Amino acid sequence: MVTRIWIGSKMVPASERLFWSKIMGVYRAYIIGADGHIELRIDLDMRDEAAARERAKQLVDGHPVELWEGATKIETLEPEEGPPSGGLP
């Protein structure tokens, strides 16, 4: 499984995550494959849940995306009908 770390709308080195996690909420988006298993985890360090939801919506590209905050599942975002536009992020 690959991990990418986003701070707001930018990707940053993992070493900066501890600093930002004290300021912003830590959310995780899981890209779910056709077999129902996790294909990719993306850490989202966002200012609030609304920002995390918006970012997760951008990740839906032919695959469902589950948005979590810690051990709490916030929602599952389903792709619209039709083929993916470009693959996984």
Side-chain angles (χ1 to χ4, degrees):
M1 180 172 26
V2 178
T3 301
R4 298 179 184 176
I5 299 173
W6 289 88
I7 304 292
S9 62
K10 298 180 181 181
M11 205 168 194
V12 299
S15 60
E16 293 183 22
R17 183 164 193 251
L18 181 59
F19 169 77
W20 286 104
S21 66
K22 293 178 182 177
I23 298 170
M24 305 172 89
V26 178
Y27 300 88
R28 288 192 171 94
Y30 294 95
I31 310 298
I32 308 299
D35 62 358
H37 291 95
I38 296 168
E39 288 191 1
L40 181 68
R41 183 186 91 196
I42 302 171
D43 292 347
L44 306 170
D45 294 334
M46 309 300 285
R47 68 183 175 277
D48 57 28
E49 185 177 313
R53 286 177 187 265
E54 284 303 311
R55 181 67 185 116
K57 287 177 186 177
Q58 296 171 1
L59 298 172
V60 177
D61 187 19
H63 298 274
V65 174
E66 291 184 359
L67 179 62
W68 290 73
E69 180 179 19
T72 304
K73 183 177 178 181
I74 296 173
E75 72 176 312
T76 299
L77 301 152
E78 297 289 340
E80 295 180 13
E81 295 298 317
S85 63
L88 295 174

